[in-house]
Amino acid sequence: MISLLRSKLTVSTGPILSTMESCGSKRLVNLAQQLRLYKPPPPSPDEIEEQNTEEEAAGKIVTQVGFQESATPLALDPQRFKPKRAAVLVCIFEGDAGEFRVILTKRSSRLSTHSGEVSLPGGKADESDKNDGETATREAKEEIGLDPSLVNIVTALEPFLSKHLLRVVPIIGLLSDRKKFKPTPNPAEVETVFDAPLEMFIKDENRRVEEREWMGDKYLIHFFDYETGNKKFLIWGLTAGILIKVASVVYLRPPAFLEQNPKFKFPRVVDNDTVIR
């Protein structure tokens, strides 16, 4: 399924690198080159069998804590649930101190799902979207006014699933000139736009965990406390899980804490009210 994901996202290295070079950011150029070499973990025997059985199979299931699909085997079932597709933009830029930072939002308290939570800009795919990169950048423009022309998409990670059974593809994009981005949050969707250091998501600081259980398997869900501009934010769930993975890929090292990713099992019956907790 990772190969299917890759086929939906086509990017060109040359223009991206030349744009960054014109802005004089050597670190971002090097990061773009590094991320283009990223390869997802090799498929498990279950994944190989599944790909041979059904090209668009749902295949794996995870929770809102953001565990990648490759970690969660699922028995074959011709009647199984096929999730809707979504994409989020992990937009990275270079901070004043040379550190990598990521753009985040706090969702509006008026939204029906995940209200008031910290998230990455993004949303469900439209039929008109050509690929996951277009979904992520289109949603980012709608939510926070981020012009897609400012973002250089460099790679996509393996999909995650939300607790509402959306298949979420993280799209990594680099913002070469942070000053050109003037946040204009859509008040119907976003309350606040802020940024945080990416490396914090693999450090064992300002972090706490809770033990949860899904169909007999125990796992850990991670919460990160972050304060900026006299405002406090709690980053957890799917967003934290994606950022742990992105930070591990960017900094080429695993987190300094135990993740304890579970092997989730897919429930036999799935309907519109099914939510993974």
Side-chain angles (χ1 to χ4, degrees):
M1 266 175 291
I2 300 303
S3 60
L4 293 175
L5 164 65
R6 297 289 176 176
S7 68
K8 293 192 69 175
L9 178 64
T10 304
V11 290
S12 174
T13 307
I16 290 177
L17 295 183
S18 62
T19 298
M20 291 181 183
E21 286 168 351
S22 67
C23 294
S25 179
K26 184 176 181 180
R27 289 202 71 200
L28 285 178
V29 171
N30 291 338
L31 180 59
Q33 293 172 331
Q34 172 192 316
L35 292 176
R36 288 194 173 281
L37 298 176
Y38 171 73
K39 295 181 179 180
S44 67
D46 289 336
E47 287 180 297
I48 294 174
E49 181 180 3
E50 188 133 337
Q51 288 177 14
N52 292 335
T53 303
E54 185 180 353
E55 183 174 276
E56 292 295 335
K60 304 291 176 283
I61 192 72
V62 293
T63 69
Q64 94 181 84
V65 297
F67 299 112
Q68 57 265 36
E69 291 180 308
S70 58
T72 55
L74 167 65
L76 294 174
D77 180 357
Q79 301 301 318
R80 63 181 163 228
F81 172 76
K82 295 182 181 180
K84 293 182 179 179
R85 198 175 192 93
V88 293
L89 179 64
V90 185
C91 188
I92 300 172
F93 66 94
E94 192 172 359
D96 294 338
E99 79 284 16
F100 291 132
R101 303 184 70 85
V102 60
I103 294 174
L104 295 165
T105 72
K106 182 177 180 182
R107 291 167 60 86
S108 169
S109 59
R110 294 176 288 179
L111 292 171
S112 58
T113 59
H114 304 295
S115 60
E117 293 184 6
V118 171
S119 68
L120 291 155
K124 296 179 183 178
D126 282 350
E127 292 184 1
S128 60
D129 292 338
K130 296 178 181 178
N131 51 46
D132 298 312
E134 188 167 301
T135 298
T137 53
R138 173 184 55 76
E139 286 284 338
K141 183 177 182 180
E142 293 175 4
E143 291 180 8
I144 62 175
L146 177 56
D147 188 338
S149 68
L150 298 178
V151 181
N152 301 302
I153 295 175
V154 289
T155 196
L157 300 185
E158 49 269 46
F160 291 68
L161 263 75
S162 74
K163 72 173 183 178
H164 294 291
L165 306 183
L166 271 177
R167 179 189 298 268
V168 181
V169 179
I171 301 296
I172 301 182
L174 305 184
L175 180 63
S176 56
D177 192 345
R178 174 65 176 83
K179 294 181 180 179
K180 288 185 178 180
F181 170 45
K182 309 295 183 183
T184 53
N186 179 347
E189 298 186 61
V190 175
E191 180 180 305
T192 305
V193 180
F194 68 102
D195 56 80
L198 182 61
E199 194 174 11
M200 70 176 279
F201 297 101
I202 52 173
K203 291 184 176 181
D204 197 9
E205 301 171 6
N206 302 318
R207 184 189 65 89
R208 51 193 170 86
V209 297
E210 289 182 9
E211 188 176 73
R212 302 284 177 89
E213 185 174 321
W214 171 248
M215 296 181 68
D217 288 325
K218 292 183 178 180
Y219 64 95
L220 297 178
I221 183 169
H222 302 272
F223 298 77
F224 294 87
D225 293 300
Y226 180 64
E227 184 173 354
T228 180
N230 297 320
K231 293 183 178 180
K232 296 182 179 180
F233 299 96
L234 178 62
I235 306 166
W236 69 291
L238 176 65
T239 300
I242 290 175
L243 291 174
I244 290 171
K245 177 64 178 180
V246 172
S248 298
V249 171
V250 167
Y251 288 99
L252 300 176
R253 68 177 190 269
F257 49 82
L258 177 65
E259 288 186 84
Q260 193 170 326
N261 296 352
K263 293 184 178 180
F264 286 99
K265 303 165 188 173
F266 197 76
R268 287 182 176 274
V269 179
V270 177
D271 56 32
N272 292 334
D273 296 322
T274 300
V275 176
I276 298 177
R277 304 188 184 279

